[in-house]
Amino acid sequence: MIIVLKPKVSKHEIQDLVEKVESYGLTAHVSQGTETTIIGMIGDVTKVDPKQLEVSPVVDHVMRVSEPYKLANRAFHPEDSIIDVAGVKVGGDHLALIAGPCSVESKEQVIMIAKAAKAAGANMLRGGAFKPRTSPYAFQGMGTTGLDILLAAKEETGLPIVSELMSAEYIEEFNEKVDLVQIGARNMQNFDLLKEVGKRCTKPILLKRGLSATYEEWIMSAEYIMASGNPNVILCERGVRTYETYTRNTLDLQAIPVIKRLTHLPIIIDPSHAGGKWWLVEPMAKAAVAAGCDGLMIEVHNDPEHALCDGPQSLKPEKYTELLKQVGEIAHIVGKEIK
Ligand code: PEP
Ligand code: MN
């Protein structure tokens, strides 16, 4: 249930209402926008009579929210959330451009790719240090050494770091070394991990959509993180599993308008894991920006033929540079800025 307040309500009047909500044994979540202030009521609202709240002269109206997610719900927070990743804004009219190799392989490799990605216009560097691989015999990532290599690349380029966390054991290390913490598709419903990153992660979270997750399941996973204390969640569509086997997954571009309608969270697109083929990345990335996404996360590798992971879907730096030129033009048309 949400309480929509009249314009120009004082802090004191908001506090009085918060106390009233708390007196029902509920949690009040205040969202102060430029136009309206909304108080979300979280908990069992079945016994709350909306009319009793509507008698207050500062209340415009009270609405029941039927969706099971509250904190992520657009109704609780009508304005777009803009998430700050070490100074790079994601959401609203900002376009995040995240690039880098699937896995960190060596210091030289990451620094070379980071410099090329930055020169092309990327504003964040990604690299996997802990890799969720389907086969236990495949390269599992460099772990802590990989994170240190990413930090060295950050020192060289100034690009904030995005990397995947697979176990709560490493949260403190990620808080120190990583700027945006990725929760991968396979862990989207690892609820214990979601609760721990909500509680202990001091950095924003990039939550990838599960291989066959519905929108509601995906948003509920964001809700887990938010309800546990971390409100800074960015969603990432990376393709879903369908009957098609020609492509690795099927990119669901409808996710962009749907997520924007249902939530206030930014949504970025990963066309690399969606198609699984490098030549699908350019058309899908352009389509995603045209459809209004808040960012792109693209795998870039200097030598895809010899990459330890996901070479076939990685762009060479030259191709990435060409792509960003076109992305910049499309972004301009849809009112997004790259900073
Ligand atoms: C990745 O980003 O490298 C990755 C493993 O992605 P996903 O979780 O989407 O498969
Ligand atoms: Mn990958």
Side-chain angles (χ1 to χ4, degrees), residues 144-181:
T144 290
T145 315
L147 292 183
D148 292 334
I149 290 176
L150 288 166
L151 266 183
K154 180 181 176 180
E155 258 169 48
E156 286 267 341
T157 59
L159 292 176
I161 301 300
V162 186
S163 200
E164 177 165 354
L165 173 80
M166 295 209 300
S167 157
E169 191 188 331
Y170 294 100
I171 291 179
E172 280 67 34
E173 186 172 350
F174 271 61
N175 281 343
E176 241 176 75
K177 300 178 179 172
V178 171
D179 299 296
L180 177 59
V181 177

Side-chain angles (χ1 to χ4, degrees), residues 101-103 126 128 131-133 164 182-187 208-209 211 236 238-239 248-249 270 273 297 299 309-310 313:
C102 180
S103 20
R126 75 150 256 155
K131 294 302 307 173
R133 302 304 299 277
E164 177 165 354
Q182 176 176 321
I183 299 296
R186 288 153 195 83
N187 272 320
K208 291 190 120 186
R209 183 180 186 179
L211 307 188
C236 176
R238 43 77 74 206
R248 188 173 178 180
N249 293 287
D270 168 356
H273 291 87
M297 183 157 82
E299 287 185 339
C309 183
D310 288 347
Q313 66 193 31

Side-chain angles (χ1 to χ4, degrees), residues 80-130:
D80 288 342
S81 270
I82 298 176
I83 313 282
D84 189 307
V85 181
V88 175
K89 304 264 193 294
V90 188
D93 59 4
H94 307 272
L95 191 70
L97 295 169
I98 307 171
C102 180
S103 20
V104 172
E105 295 171 13
S106 73
K107 190 167 169 181
E108 297 66 42
Q109 170 231 19
V110 175
I111 290 183
M112 183 193 296
I113 296 172
K115 284 183 174 165
K118 185 174 177 172
N123 47 21
M124 280 186 233
L125 172 67
R126 75 150 256 155
F130 296 86

Side-chain angles (χ1 to χ4, degrees), residues 97 119-121 282 286 317-332 338:
L97 295 169
E282 181 203 307
K286 292 196 292 196
E318 310 81 71
K319 282 264 180 268
Y320 183 68
T321 306
E322 268 174 49
L323 168 63
L324 285 206
K325 283 189 193 139
Q326 299 179 46
V327 160
E329 288 180 32
I330 299 169
H332 182 68
I338 306 166

